């Protein structure tokens, strides 16, 4: 075992006594923005969900984690186990301790092995000492169901020929004949993004590269990297989710710096024939989603996303914590598209459900931890939430064609506002609007999950006010707080 400690490439094992406790006390001084029912890092930076697997009894959730600061430093895999997405038990963290992961355990996915174990595939980020050149390893770690690491080893020790050092984020699955395959995001030598498919006869075998999966229906111009690919079946369709980087921004969708995208269709050999391609979530902050392995329902699956994006900073960075995960989302096919909303358990544990008629301005107790639902009746509306004395507020509206979020009157970092302060989502015939608010995050689902918009918002010293420009019948309830 090696204890790495080189600038920001510092492992948990190199923590000085009391160091994390001191960072935690800075995190705890944040009185405004810590969520109560979303998974956020105890200290430091969270990014992609990783290694998601249902082991037959419990869900294992890992995420990319740098414990020491709100920066992208040495990545660990923070690990939790839960049965209900409310009570979480901490399990063994995947910590970089070997040369094949010397600069971080980067993203990857999980694969069931037997009754007692599962495997995680992940990228070992390394840098060659002679010239600091990045060398991507693809590694394998075995965990038992109790969440204990059994062993780990490298599978692939460099990028395949024809690709740059940006090859990462293996997501494994079984073929119908029991072989193991995994997809990896990659960048070609000509600096365009793609996805590679590898195959192994079994867990002991050496992976062989089958080639790139082509996605001819996707316009890949300007795209320089594909991150976090995920390939799975829903019913009789193949679904491919990935996070391309470089796609030009558009005015009513693909509005962020990078985007999480999905394709539905049929994988034939190495060609994915897409029938539909769309952005997965149209909010300000959503990236690198991943679905669970090990679920038995073939018609739906559960997905987490990172409520954040690369190259962004947030007002909570000064409190030494950054980002969180979405709620677990159930996703399934509906009319040839993906439909998504929080997992059943989240709805079953809503408390204090009340129905109120609102007009003009109301104060709703703990609005910033509430679930709101109403029927827009396909008519325009304007809502403003969380006024404070500095005149800050959050705007949500619908003009009959486009649903919008306006965070121009909220606290933002320069980089947050670099790509504009509004986000739009075209949606004809808007009926059902659901909003999950959790202090500095909102997850919005329109028409029972036809569209999703996930965003952070920062309004300090806010009042729990809600203003509406027309009367609405509102359902209000409170999701259960999580315990860690
Ligand atoms: C996506 C990503 C992955 C990488 C990980 C590193 O957000 O850049 O491609 O494995 O984050 O933390």
């Amino acid at each position: 075992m090696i204890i790495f400690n080189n600038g920001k490439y510092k492992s948990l094992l190199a923590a000085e006594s009391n160091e994390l406790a001191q960072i935690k006390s800075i995190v705890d001084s944040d009185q405004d923005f810590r969520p109560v029912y979303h998974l956020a890092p105890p200290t430091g930076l969270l990014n992609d969900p990783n290694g998601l697997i249902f082991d037959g009894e419990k869900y294992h959730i890992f995420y990319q984690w740098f414990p020491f600061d709100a920066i992208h430093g040495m990545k660990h895999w923070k690990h939790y186990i839960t049965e209900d997405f409310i009570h979480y038990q901490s399990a063994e963290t995947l910590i970089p301790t070997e040369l094949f992961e010397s600069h971080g355990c980067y993203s990857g996915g999980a694969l069931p092995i037997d009754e007692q174990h599962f495997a995680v595939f992940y990228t070992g980020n390394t840098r060659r000492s002679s010239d600091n050149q990045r060398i991507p390893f693809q590694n394998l770690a075995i965990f038992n169901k109790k969440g204990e690491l059994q062993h780990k080893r490298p599978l692939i020790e460099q990028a395949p020929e024809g690709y740059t050092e940006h090859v990462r984020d293996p997501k494994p699955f079984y073929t119908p004949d029991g072989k193991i395959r995994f997809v990896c995001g990659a960048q070609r030598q000509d600096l365009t993004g793609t996805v590679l498919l590898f195959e192994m006869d079994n867990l002991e075998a050496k992976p062989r590269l089958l080639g790139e999966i082509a996605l001819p229906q996707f316009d890949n111009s300007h795209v320089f990297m594909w991150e976090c690919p995920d390939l799975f079946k829903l019913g009789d369709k193949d679904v491919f989710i990935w996070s391309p980087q470089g796609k030009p921004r558009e005015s009513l969708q693909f509005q962020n710096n990078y985007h999480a995208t999905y394709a539905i269709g049929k994988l034939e050999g190495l060609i994915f024939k897409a029938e539909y391609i769309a952005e997965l979530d149209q909010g300000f902050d959503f990236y690198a989603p991943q679905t669970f392995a090990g679920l038995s329902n073939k018609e739906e699956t559960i997905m987490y996303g990172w409520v954040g994006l690369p190259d962004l900073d947030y007002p909570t960075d000064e409190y030494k914590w950054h980002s969180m995960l979405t709620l677990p989302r159930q996703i399934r096919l509906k009319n040839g598209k993906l439909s998504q909303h929080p997992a059943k358990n989240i709805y079953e544990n809503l408390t204090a459900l009340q129905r109120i008629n609102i007009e003009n301005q109301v104060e709703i107790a703990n609005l910033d931890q509430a679930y709101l639902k109403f029927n827009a009746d396909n008519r325009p509306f304007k809502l403003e939430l969380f006024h404070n004395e500095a005149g800050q507020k959050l705007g949500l509206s619908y003009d009959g064609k486009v649903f919008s979020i306006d965070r121009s009157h909220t606290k933002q970092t320069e980089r947050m506002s670099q790509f504009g302060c509004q986000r739009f989502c075209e949606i004809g015939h808007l009926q059902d609007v659901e909003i999950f608010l959790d202090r500095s995050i909102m997850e919005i689902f329109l028409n029972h999950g036809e569209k999703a918009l996930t965003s952070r918002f920062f309004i300090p010293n806010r009042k729990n006010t809600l203003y509406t420009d027309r009367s609405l019948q509102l359902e209000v309830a409170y999701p259960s707080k999580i315990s860690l």
Side-chain angles (χ1 to χ4, degrees):
M1 177 197 291
I2 303 171
I3 299 183
F4 298 107
N5 190 4
N6 179 9
K8 67 177 189 175
Y9 296 108
K10 168 170 167 169
S11 99
L12 260 185
L13 302 174
E16 285 158 33
S17 73
N18 232 11
E19 187 176 2
L20 285 173
Q22 276 171 11
I23 301 171
K24 183 82 179 88
S25 70
I26 302 173
V27 172
D28 290 341
S29 69
D30 171 4
Q31 297 296 306
D32 286 311
F33 305 126
R34 290 286 285 175
V36 298
Y37 64 88
H38 284 81
L39 275 174
T43 57
L45 180 142
L46 167 158
N47 57 306
D48 316 352
N50 289 154
L52 304 178
I53 187 165
F54 180 65
D55 70 11
E57 290 168 34
K58 294 179 177 165
Y59 300 90
H60 291 252
I61 296 151
F62 298 83
Y63 59 73
Q64 288 282 283
W65 182 42
F66 180 58
F68 298 105
D69 207 344
I71 58 166
H72 288 271
M74 179 76 115
K75 294 298 171 68
H76 299 59
W77 281 33
K78 182 94 180 118
H79 183 186
Y80 290 102
I81 305 177
T82 182
E83 274 177 86
D84 56 9
F85 299 115
I86 291 170
H87 304 91
Y88 290 84
Q89 172 201 335
S90 198
E92 187 169 348
T93 303
L94 183 64
I95 302 175
T97 56
E98 307 296 331
L99 287 175
F100 56 75
E101 54 191 7
S102 60
H103 292 62
C105 300
Y106 272 15
S107 287
L111 188 74
I113 307 180
D114 59 35
E115 290 286 281
Q116 295 308 321
H117 301 92
F118 63 91
V120 304
F121 288 59
Y122 65 102
T123 298
N125 184 38
T126 74
R127 293 210 175 242
R128 196 161 55 198
S129 45
S130 55
D131 56 1
N132 204 33
Q133 165 76 30
R134 189 202 287 253
I135 312 283
F137 282 63
Q138 312 306 330
N139 303 331
L140 176 72
I142 308 296
F143 281 85
N144 66 20
K145 274 169 70 165
K146 284 192 253 166
E148 298 159 337
L149 176 67
Q150 308 295 287
H151 56 262
K152 52 185 172 181
R153 70 182 170 89
L155 290 174
I156 304 178
E157 312 205 344
Q158 60 191 19
E161 206 166 310
Y163 301 90
T164 72
E165 72 273 26
H166 294 287
V167 177
R168 57 176 170 266
D169 311 338
K171 176 76 165 50
F173 57 92
Y174 285 108
T175 62
D177 59 355
K179 287 190 176 146
I180 296 163
R181 287 186 170 181
F182 57 92
V183 280
C184 268
Q187 182 181 60
R188 303 186 187 102
Q189 287 291 2
D190 68 2
L191 306 188
T192 55
T194 188
V195 58
L196 301 179
L197 182 65
F198 291 87
E199 185 173 85
M200 299 164 78
D201 292 334
N202 53 57
L203 270 189
E204 280 65 52
K206 195 116 197 93
R208 53 181 177 270
L209 177 62
L210 298 180
E212 291 182 9
I213 298 180
L215 187 56
Q217 283 77 14
F218 178 67
D219 179 0
N220 206 35
S221 29
H222 307 285
V223 174
F224 57 86
M225 176 64 190
W226 290 15
E227 295 191 314
C228 302
D230 191 354
L231 183 62
F232 55 96
K233 279 196 176 307
L234 279 183
D236 61 352
K237 297 286 184 194
D238 292 303
V239 180
F240 181 57
I241 292 181
W242 81 112
S243 296
Q245 297 189 316
K247 184 175 168 47
R249 297 172 55 233
E250 296 178 19
S251 52
L252 295 178
Q253 57 175 351
F254 299 106
Q255 300 150 94
N256 298 328
N257 54 348
Y258 305 127
H259 319 104
T261 313
Y262 74 91
I264 296 174
K266 272 271 155 232
L267 181 64
E268 290 174 10
L270 285 175
I271 302 182
F272 193 105
K273 296 196 171 149
E275 292 150 19
Y276 185 71
I277 297 180
E279 191 176 16
L280 198 45
D281 185 296
Q282 289 181 225
F284 283 91
D285 305 276
F286 183 89
Y287 195 69
Q290 184 181 107
T291 59
F292 272 85
L295 295 173
S296 53
N297 187 332
K298 301 292 170 221
E299 301 298 322
E300 59 185 41
T301 185
I302 299 178
M303 174 186 89
Y304 274 99
W306 170 28
V307 188
L309 281 160
D311 309 330
L312 273 192
D313 52 5
Y314 291 116
T316 61
D317 293 6
E318 66 172 292
Y319 297 112
K320 293 204 177 290
W321 75 276
H322 179 110
S323 291
M324 59 180 93
L325 294 185
T326 59
L327 288 169
R329 282 185 194 174
Q330 208 151 47
I331 61 171
R332 63 199 158 88
L333 294 180
K334 202 166 149 192
N335 304 325
K337 300 176 180 172
L338 282 189
S339 146
Q340 46 183 320
H341 52 72
K344 215 165 78 202
N345 219 52
I346 305 295
Y347 286 101
E348 286 172 356
N349 286 286
L350 289 171
T351 59
L353 180 76
Q354 36 171 322
R355 288 191 172 78
I356 48 176
N357 289 325
I358 58 165
E359 273 174 60
N360 299 319
Q361 183 138 328
V362 282
E363 181 116 9
I364 296 177
N366 297 318
L367 178 64
D368 63 353
Q369 302 166 31
Y371 162 74
L372 307 179
K373 183 177 171 178
F374 60 91
N375 188 334
D377 250 338
N378 199 32
R379 288 188 307 158
F381 62 81
K382 275 202 185 87
L383 301 180
E384 285 174 6
L385 295 88
F386 306 124
H387 293 80
N388 69 7
E389 280 180 4
Q392 292 179 316
K393 60 189 177 185
L394 177 68
L396 304 176
S397 61
Y398 182 60
D399 67 4
K401 285 195 192 106
V402 178
F403 178 87
S404 324
I405 305 176
D406 185 345
R407 64 176 189 190
S408 52
H409 301 287
T410 65
K411 185 176 163 106
Q412 301 189 71
T413 62
E414 224 175 280
R415 281 201 230 164
M416 281 172 71
S417 52
Q418 193 181 345
F419 298 105
C421 301
Q422 288 169 300
R423 288 293 177 270
F424 303 104
C425 176
E426 278 183 292
I427 184 152
H429 216 81
L430 179 60
Q431 296 287 333
D432 188 75
V433 179
E434 290 177 274
I435 307 172
F436 288 82
L437 295 160
D438 194 3
R439 311 202 74 231
S440 62
I441 174 182
M442 59 185 154
E443 292 188 67
I444 299 178
F445 302 92
L446 304 177
N447 286 353
H448 300 286
E450 183 186 329
K451 294 282 184 186
L453 297 96
T454 302
S455 302
R456 301 298 302 280
F457 65 93
F458 301 92
I459 304 180
N461 299 315
R462 59 190 167 265
K463 296 204 179 88
N464 278 317
T465 48
L466 174 63
Y467 163 84
T468 172
D469 70 341
R470 67 169 236 227
S471 59
L472 286 176
Q473 279 199 326
L474 198 65
E475 281 177 42
V476 183
Y478 298 89
S480 274
K481 293 184 184 175
I482 57 174
S483 69
L484 296 171

